[in-house]
Amino acid sequence: MTGVADLITSRAVRRTRRGSGRVPAVVIGLYLFVAVLGPMLIDYDPVQTPLEDRLLSPGSHTSSGGTAVLGTDALGRDVLAQIVYGARTSVIIGLATVAVCVVVGLLVGFAAGYYRGVADAVLSRLVDVLQAFPGILLAIVIAGVFTPNLWVIVLALSVTGWISFARVARSVVLGIRERYWVDAAWLVGVRTTRLLGRHILPFTVGPVVAMATLEFALVVLAEAGLSFLGIGLPSSSVSWGQTVANGKEYLGSAWWISAAPGLALAVLVVSVGLLGDSLTARYGRARS
């Protein structure tokens, strides 16, 4: 009876884990929809500054005859428009940074795990050196040195982000490299690139996808933090971190300026984190 109960329990846990990612996936899909199509559906310019509409509360009517659904900030800018355009900024930076981290991490991890020896030693030491520095500190330095723009932020957030992907790729390659089908492919003269792409890469897809979702959440948070500190995107762009920073001096009188984008950021990060946990539980944690 104990074995039957354990089997039923394990199946229930697996079903719960599979279903736990559905709600976060729907929420993330909504954010993607807003990021792609949202700017086409609203009439407000997020950087326009009609001072006559400054600090309007949510639901107030503007001087142009519209409605400020989430209110306006100290310069009269519509908070909802800033959230919608900020979603596009966060999604673009998040996806671009994760893409760079995945490509660089897989290349480094495959090289270290496949060639081993000197290549593995050199690349492993490089990883150790980069891990000795806090990633956010390196991002702040890079963002402060170069003229701030979207691609500088992507570079700054990618400096250490690829390390976790490299460790996963190296672990997978070391575990698969000695399998019989890999030896057979090597013996018949299959090229290294085809061998890695055809016989080893598929085993990294699950762990990498799960890790990429978690990395996306970290990148969105980091970008908002840099923008909040004033060293992220320029003022001509819209970022959730900038909007939160703009409202920090009005928390007592105009709380919606910081609360609305802060809530949007929190919901996105939590949803991505839950989806990442669901994928990790489904595909299993890769050993580093």
Side-chain angles (χ1 to χ4, degrees), residues 41-78:
L41 303 178
I42 60 175
D43 298 328
Y44 295 100
D45 185 345
V47 296
Q48 186 179 4
T49 57
L51 296 179
E52 63 274 13
D53 293 332
R54 64 188 305 270
L55 300 179
L56 293 179
S57 60
S60 300
H61 295 289
T62 64
S63 59
S64 60
T67 302
V69 178
L70 295 180
T72 60
D73 65 7
L75 296 178
R77 294 174 295 193
D78 187 78

Short mmCIF file of all heavy atoms in Angstrom, two decimals, residues 41-78:
data_model
loop_
_atom_site.label_atom_id
_atom_site.label_comp_id
_atom_site.label_asym_id
_atom_site.label_seq_id
_atom_site.Cartn_x
_atom_site.Cartn_y
_atom_site.Cartn_z
N LEU A 41 -1.79 50.82 -29.47
CA LEU A 41 -3.17 50.88 -28.98
C LEU A 41 -3.44 52.07 -28.08
O LEU A 41 -4.59 52.29 -27.69
CB LEU A 41 -3.51 49.59 -28.23
CG LEU A 41 -3.34 48.29 -29.03
CD1 LEU A 41 -3.66 47.08 -28.16
CD2 LEU A 41 -4.22 48.30 -30.27
N ILE A 42 -2.41 52.82 -27.71
CA ILE A 42 -2.60 53.98 -26.84
C ILE A 42 -2.22 55.25 -27.61
O ILE A 42 -1.37 55.21 -28.50
CB ILE A 42 -1.78 53.87 -25.55
CG1 ILE A 42 -0.29 53.77 -25.86
CG2 ILE A 42 -2.23 52.68 -24.73
CD1 ILE A 42 0.57 53.77 -24.63
N ASP A 43 -2.84 56.35 -27.23
CA ASP A 43 -2.65 57.60 -27.96
C ASP A 43 -1.65 58.54 -27.28
O ASP A 43 -1.37 59.61 -27.81
CB ASP A 43 -3.99 58.35 -28.10
CG ASP A 43 -4.99 57.54 -28.91
OD1 ASP A 43 -4.54 56.81 -29.82
OD2 ASP A 43 -6.19 57.63 -28.61
N TYR A 44 -1.14 58.15 -26.13
CA TYR A 44 -0.29 59.07 -25.37
C TYR A 44 1.18 58.87 -25.71
O TYR A 44 1.65 57.74 -25.88
CB TYR A 44 -0.50 58.87 -23.86
CG TYR A 44 -1.89 59.24 -23.40
CD1 TYR A 44 -2.84 58.25 -23.17
CD2 TYR A 44 -2.24 60.56 -23.20
CE1 TYR A 44 -4.12 58.58 -22.75
CE2 TYR A 44 -3.52 60.90 -22.78
CZ TYR A 44 -4.45 59.91 -22.55
OH TYR A 44 -5.72 60.24 -22.14
N ASP A 45 1.90 59.97 -25.78
CA ASP A 45 3.34 59.95 -25.96
C ASP A 45 3.99 59.88 -24.57
O ASP A 45 3.78 60.77 -23.74
CB ASP A 45 3.80 61.22 -26.68
CG ASP A 45 5.29 61.20 -27.01
OD1 ASP A 45 6.01 60.35 -26.45
OD2 ASP A 45 5.72 62.04 -27.81
N PRO A 46 4.77 58.84 -24.28
CA PRO A 46 5.30 58.68 -22.92
C PRO A 46 6.33 59.73 -22.52
O PRO A 46 6.61 59.89 -21.33
CB PRO A 46 5.94 57.28 -22.97
CG PRO A 46 6.30 57.09 -24.40
CD PRO A 46 5.22 57.77 -25.18
N VAL A 47 6.91 60.45 -23.48
CA VAL A 47 7.92 61.46 -23.14
C VAL A 47 7.39 62.88 -23.31
O VAL A 47 8.11 63.84 -23.05
CB VAL A 47 9.20 61.26 -23.99
CG1 VAL A 47 9.85 59.94 -23.68
CG2 VAL A 47 8.88 61.36 -25.48
N GLN A 48 6.15 63.04 -23.76
CA GLN A 48 5.56 64.37 -23.88
C GLN A 48 5.29 64.94 -22.48
O GLN A 48 4.86 64.22 -21.58
CB GLN A 48 4.26 64.31 -24.67
CG GLN A 48 3.64 65.66 -24.97
CD GLN A 48 2.36 65.53 -25.78
OE1 GLN A 48 1.92 64.41 -26.06
NE2 GLN A 48 1.77 66.66 -26.15
N THR A 49 5.55 66.23 -22.29
CA THR A 49 5.46 66.82 -20.95
C THR A 49 4.46 67.98 -20.91
O THR A 49 4.85 69.16 -20.84
CB THR A 49 6.84 67.31 -20.48
OG1 THR A 49 7.34 68.25 -21.45
CG2 THR A 49 7.80 66.15 -20.33
N PRO A 50 3.18 67.69 -20.94
CA PRO A 50 2.17 68.76 -20.77
C PRO A 50 2.07 69.14 -19.29
O PRO A 50 1.40 68.47 -18.51
CB PRO A 50 0.89 68.11 -21.28
CG PRO A 50 1.10 66.65 -21.04
CD PRO A 50 2.57 66.39 -21.17
N LEU A 51 2.76 70.20 -18.89
CA LEU A 51 2.85 70.55 -17.48
C LEU A 51 1.49 70.87 -16.86
O LEU A 51 1.33 70.78 -15.63
CB LEU A 51 3.79 71.75 -17.32
CG LEU A 51 5.25 71.49 -17.71
CD1 LEU A 51 6.08 72.75 -17.52
CD2 LEU A 51 5.83 70.34 -16.90
N GLU A 52 0.51 71.24 -17.67
CA GLU A 52 -0.81 71.54 -17.13
C GLU A 52 -1.50 70.28 -16.59
O GLU A 52 -2.49 70.36 -15.85
CB GLU A 52 -1.70 72.21 -18.19
CG GLU A 52 -2.01 71.35 -19.41
CD GLU A 52 -0.94 71.44 -20.49
OE1 GLU A 52 0.15 71.98 -20.19
OE2 GLU A 52 -1.20 71.00 -21.61
N ASP A 53 -0.97 69.11 -16.96
CA ASP A 53 -1.56 67.84 -16.51
C ASP A 53 -0.72 67.17 -15.43
O ASP A 53 -0.90 65.98 -15.16
CB ASP A 53 -1.72 66.88 -17.70
CG ASP A 53 -2.74 67.37 -18.72
OD1 ASP A 53 -3.66 68.08 -18.31
OD2 ASP A 53 -2.58 67.03 -19.91
N ARG A 54 0.17 67.88 -14.81
CA ARG A 54 1.10 67.26 -13.84
C ARG A 54 0.36 66.76 -12.59
O ARG A 54 -0.59 67.38 -12.12
CB ARG A 54 2.20 68.24 -13.45
CG ARG A 54 1.73 69.48 -12.72
CD ARG A 54 2.86 70.49 -12.54
NE ARG A 54 4.00 69.90 -11.90
CZ ARG A 54 4.19 69.89 -10.58
NH1 ARG A 54 3.27 70.44 -9.78
NH2 ARG A 54 5.25 69.35 -10.04
N LEU A 55 0.81 65.59 -12.12
CA LEU A 55 0.33 64.99 -10.87
C LEU A 55 -1.18 64.77 -10.83
O LEU A 55 -1.83 64.93 -9.80
CB LEU A 55 0.77 65.84 -9.67
CG LEU A 55 2.28 66.02 -9.49
CD1 LEU A 55 2.58 66.90 -8.29
CD2 LEU A 55 2.97 64.67 -9.35
N LEU A 56 -1.74 64.38 -11.98
CA LEU A 56 -3.15 64.00 -11.98
C LEU A 56 -3.31 62.61 -11.38
O LEU A 56 -2.53 61.70 -11.64
CB LEU A 56 -3.69 64.00 -13.42
CG LEU A 56 -3.79 65.35 -14.13
CD1 LEU A 56 -4.32 65.15 -15.54
CD2 LEU A 56 -4.66 66.33 -13.35
N SER A 57 -4.33 62.44 -10.57
CA SER A 57 -4.58 61.14 -9.95
C SER A 57 -5.17 60.16 -10.96
O SER A 57 -5.69 60.59 -12.01
CB SER A 57 -5.54 61.30 -8.76
OG SER A 57 -6.77 61.83 -9.20
N PRO A 58 -5.09 58.86 -10.71
CA PRO A 58 -5.65 57.87 -11.64
C PRO A 58 -7.13 58.13 -11.93
O PRO A 58 -7.93 58.38 -11.02
CB PRO A 58 -5.45 56.54 -10.91
CG PRO A 58 -4.27 56.78 -10.04
CD PRO A 58 -4.39 58.22 -9.59
N GLY A 59 -7.47 58.09 -13.22
CA GLY A 59 -8.85 58.30 -13.64
C GLY A 59 -9.21 59.74 -13.93
O GLY A 59 -10.34 60.02 -14.36
N SER A 60 -8.26 60.66 -13.75
CA SER A 60 -8.55 62.07 -13.99
C SER A 60 -8.55 62.37 -15.49
O SER A 60 -7.93 61.67 -16.29
CB SER A 60 -7.51 62.95 -13.30
OG SER A 60 -7.51 62.74 -11.90
N HIS A 61 -9.25 63.44 -15.85
CA HIS A 61 -9.30 63.88 -17.24
C HIS A 61 -8.15 64.84 -17.52
O HIS A 61 -7.83 65.71 -16.70
CB HIS A 61 -10.64 64.57 -17.55
CG HIS A 61 -11.82 63.65 -17.46
ND1 HIS A 61 -12.06 62.66 -18.38
CD2 HIS A 61 -12.81 63.57 -16.54
CE1 HIS A 61 -13.16 62.01 -18.06
NE2 HIS A 61 -13.63 62.54 -16.93
N THR A 62 -7.54 64.70 -18.68
CA THR A 62 -6.42 65.55 -19.06
C THR A 62 -6.92 66.78 -19.81
O THR A 62 -8.09 66.87 -20.20
CB THR A 62 -5.44 64.77 -19.95
OG1 THR A 62 -6.09 64.41 -21.18
CG2 THR A 62 -4.97 63.50 -19.26
N SER A 63 -6.01 67.73 -20.03
CA SER A 63 -6.36 68.96 -20.73
C SER A 63 -6.73 68.72 -22.18
O SER A 63 -7.44 69.51 -22.80
CB SER A 63 -5.20 69.96 -20.65
OG SER A 63 -4.02 69.39 -21.24
N SER A 64 -6.27 67.58 -22.73
CA SER A 64 -6.56 67.26 -24.13
C SER A 64 -7.88 66.52 -24.28
O SER A 64 -8.28 66.17 -25.39
CB SER A 64 -5.43 66.42 -24.73
OG SER A 64 -5.28 65.20 -24.01
N GLY A 65 -8.56 66.25 -23.18
CA GLY A 65 -9.84 65.56 -23.24
C GLY A 65 -9.78 64.07 -23.01
O GLY A 65 -10.82 63.41 -22.98
N GLY A 66 -8.57 63.53 -22.83
CA GLY A 66 -8.43 62.11 -22.57
C GLY A 66 -8.53 61.80 -21.09
O GLY A 66 -8.84 62.67 -20.27
N THR A 67 -8.26 60.55 -20.77
CA THR A 67 -8.30 60.10 -19.37
C THR A 67 -6.96 59.49 -18.99
O THR A 67 -6.45 58.61 -19.69
CB THR A 67 -9.41 59.06 -19.16
OG1 THR A 67 -10.66 59.62 -19.54
CG2 THR A 67 -9.46 58.61 -17.70
N ALA A 68 -6.41 59.98 -17.89
CA ALA A 68 -5.17 59.42 -17.37
C ALA A 68 -5.53 58.23 -16.47
O ALA A 68 -5.79 58.39 -15.27
CB ALA A 68 -4.38 60.46 -16.60
N VAL A 69 -5.58 57.05 -17.06
CA VAL A 69 -6.06 55.86 -16.34
C VAL A 69 -5.26 55.60 -15.08
O VAL A 69 -5.81 55.30 -14.02
CB VAL A 69 -6.02 54.62 -17.26
CG1 VAL A 69 -6.46 53.38 -16.51
CG2 VAL A 69 -6.89 54.85 -18.49
N LEU A 70 -3.93 55.72 -15.17
CA LEU A 70 -3.06 55.50 -14.01
C LEU A 70 -2.42 56.81 -13.52
O LEU A 70 -1.43 56.78 -12.81
CB LEU A 70 -1.96 54.49 -14.37
CG LEU A 70 -2.44 53.07 -14.68
CD1 LEU A 70 -1.27 52.17 -15.03
CD2 LEU A 70 -3.22 52.49 -13.50
N GLY A 71 -2.99 57.94 -13.92
CA GLY A 71 -2.48 59.22 -13.46
C GLY A 71 -1.30 59.71 -14.29
O GLY A 71 -0.92 59.10 -15.29
N THR A 72 -0.73 60.82 -13.86
CA THR A 72 0.43 61.40 -14.53
C THR A 72 1.52 61.69 -13.51
O THR A 72 1.27 61.69 -12.29
CB THR A 72 0.06 62.71 -15.25
OG1 THR A 72 -0.43 63.65 -14.29
CG2 THR A 72 -1.02 62.47 -16.30
N ASP A 73 2.73 61.95 -14.00
CA ASP A 73 3.84 62.24 -13.10
C ASP A 73 4.04 63.74 -12.94
O ASP A 73 3.18 64.54 -13.33
CB ASP A 73 5.11 61.55 -13.58
CG ASP A 73 5.60 62.09 -14.93
OD1 ASP A 73 5.03 63.08 -15.42
OD2 ASP A 73 6.54 61.50 -15.49
N ALA A 74 5.17 64.14 -12.37
CA ALA A 74 5.42 65.54 -12.06
C ALA A 74 5.59 66.41 -13.30
O ALA A 74 5.51 67.63 -13.20
CB ALA A 74 6.65 65.67 -11.17
N LEU A 75 5.82 65.79 -14.45
CA LEU A 75 5.97 66.54 -15.71
C LEU A 75 4.74 66.39 -16.61
O LEU A 75 4.78 66.80 -17.77
CB LEU A 75 7.22 66.08 -16.45
CG LEU A 75 8.55 66.34 -15.74
CD1 LEU A 75 9.72 65.79 -16.55
CD2 LEU A 75 8.75 67.84 -15.48
N GLY A 76 3.69 65.77 -16.10
CA GLY A 76 2.48 65.60 -16.87
C GLY A 76 2.48 64.39 -17.79
O GLY A 76 1.56 64.21 -18.59
N ARG A 77 3.49 63.54 -17.69
CA ARG A 77 3.58 62.36 -18.56
C ARG A 77 2.64 61.26 -18.06
O ARG A 77 2.55 61.02 -16.86
CB ARG A 77 5.02 61.85 -18.62
CG ARG A 77 5.97 62.82 -19.30
CD ARG A 77 7.41 62.35 -19.20
NE ARG A 77 7.87 62.33 -17.82
CZ ARG A 77 9.14 62.21 -17.46
NH1 ARG A 77 10.08 62.09 -18.39
NH2 ARG A 77 9.49 62.21 -16.18
N ASP A 78 1.99 60.61 -18.99
CA ASP A 78 1.01 59.58 -18.65
C ASP A 78 1.72 58.33 -18.12
O ASP A 78 2.60 57.77 -18.79
CB ASP A 78 0.18 59.22 -19.88
CG ASP A 78 -0.95 58.28 -19.54
OD1 ASP A 78 -1.97 58.75 -19.00
OD2 ASP A 78 -0.81 57.07 -19.81
#
